[in-house]
Amino acid sequence: MEKTQRAFSQAIKEGRKNLTETEAKAVCMDYGIPVTRSELAENEEEALKLAEKIGFPVVLKIVSPDIIHKSDVGGVIVNLKNAKEVGNAYKQILSNVKKHDANAKIVGMLVQEMAPASTEVIVGSIKDPQFGPALMFGLGGVFVEVLKDVTFRIAPVNEEEAHEMIEEVKAYPLLKGYRGSPPADINAIVKIILATSKLVMEHEEIKELDLNPIMVYEKGAKAADARIILE
Ligand code: ADP
Ligand code: MG
């Protein structure tokens, strides 16, 4: 749990409540939650080198303690297929972010493995003032944002409850496989819910947590984004 402690102390030292994606993903790794591979570039040249190292296509994402919702400010560009696209995206993201907030502190850019398209789900946690941390599950995109098709349990949850959470959302049939699309790896989601439950139970200082999206495949699942906000 060394990465978790380091991430929390770094944020606290800098007087921040929100962990960066890198820090939140380090915490995830401590708890065995699979995340997309990514490395921090501090300039465009480094971004190009890292993209070669990670392998195309890649995703570029702004890393700034002042930006919580990265895509809202044009801070994420996906599916960059070559060095030229990475270079252009780097400049574009910087300009987007500066336009939004000229004073935003910019740490650099995450160069990230592009996860193949899949069914996207969300696992989250919020703190209920009375009952403590609660876990949330839903399918990503419109299912959460428009249809509010999500389910909650007070933490800790056990394996059976994690299965129940997944089965009780209306969009569950999409995970089971439909019209020839293969079934998603439900057990991989269960593992992530259980790991998240353990994480929030062991760290009362977590106010909010959001793994959004988690890409779920026929075999395995991977968080492409992670957000943690401390009390
Ligand atoms: P934020 O939620 O802060 O706006 P995300 O990191 O979630 O930023 O990125 C926005 C969207 O970009 C995601 O919802 C997802 O659809 C896509 N995305 C992000 N990272 C990846 C990745 N590694 N592979 C594929 N798609 C990604
Ligand atoms: Mg996200």
Side-chain angles (χ1 to χ4, degrees):
M1 305 292 142
E2 206 178 297
K3 291 193 190 94
T4 303
Q5 276 321 328
R6 214 180 304 140
F8 288 178
S9 357
Q10 186 65 28
I12 291 162
K13 199 176 89 192
E14 290 176 19
R16 283 186 281 133
K17 291 211 165 24
N18 54 313
L19 269 56
T20 62
E21 181 178 331
T22 316
E23 290 167 339
K25 280 182 168 170
V27 174
C28 287
M29 284 189 245
D30 261 350
Y31 281 82
I33 298 169
V35 297
T36 42
R37 178 176 174 204
S38 54
E39 289 193 53
L40 180 72
E42 287 179 0
N43 54 53
E44 193 179 323
E45 200 190 318
E46 250 176 60
L48 293 175
K49 275 199 198 125
L50 289 175
E52 300 279 355
K53 187 174 141 198
I54 289 169
F56 296 102
V58 295
V59 179
L60 279 194
K61 299 187 191 183
I62 191 72
V63 181
S64 164
D66 302 318
I67 294 164
I68 298 183
H69 297 283
K70 302 176 292 287
S71 49
D72 287 358
V73 299
V76 178
I77 304 184
V78 302
N79 202 23
L80 304 167
K81 294 185 282 297
N82 52 50
K84 189 165 168 247
E85 289 187 4
V86 170
N88 288 341
Y90 198 99
K91 292 190 257 293
Q92 184 65 55
I93 290 177
L94 281 187
S95 127
N96 293 346
V97 170
K98 292 240 166 79
K99 228 176 273 166
H100 172 80
D101 177 1
N103 298 319
K105 180 179 176 238
I106 291 168
V107 177
M109 210 74 79
L110 271 192
V111 184
Q112 188 162 114
E113 148 202 9
M114 170 88 194
S118 74
T119 311
E120 297 184 5
V121 303
I122 296 175
V123 171
S125 176
I126 50 161
K127 226 173 190 176
D128 182 276
Q130 240 182 326
F131 299 106
L135 293 165
M136 190 268 269
F137 170 79
L139 269 75
V142 291
F143 293 101
V144 168
E145 282 154 28
V146 184
L147 303 172
K148 314 280 181 226
D149 181 19
V150 292
T151 179
F152 290 91
R153 286 287 186 291
I154 300 299
V157 302
N158 60 31
E159 195 171 336
E160 197 184 317
E161 289 167 316
H163 275 283
E164 279 169 17
M165 287 178 80
I166 297 167
E167 285 164 22
E168 76 192 22
V169 295
K170 292 192 194 72
Y172 174 60
L174 297 181
L175 289 174
K176 274 203 313 188
Y178 65 107
R179 295 209 183 152
S181 75
D185 190 341
I186 305 278
N187 284 323
I189 310 174
V190 167
K191 276 196 191 142
I192 293 176
I193 294 175
L194 294 176
T196 306
S197 172
K198 183 162 187 277
L199 166 58
V200 296
M201 288 306 290
E202 287 181 0
H203 290 281
E204 279 183 9
E205 64 269 48
I206 297 178
K207 184 172 174 234
E208 268 179 60
L209 175 153
D210 212 1
L211 306 175
N212 178 14
I214 299 168
M215 312 294 206
V216 195
Y217 301 100
E218 261 185 277
K219 216 167 178 288
K222 226 181 223 191
D225 183 25
R227 183 157 28 243
I228 291 177
I229 300 176
L230 302 176
E231 287 284 9

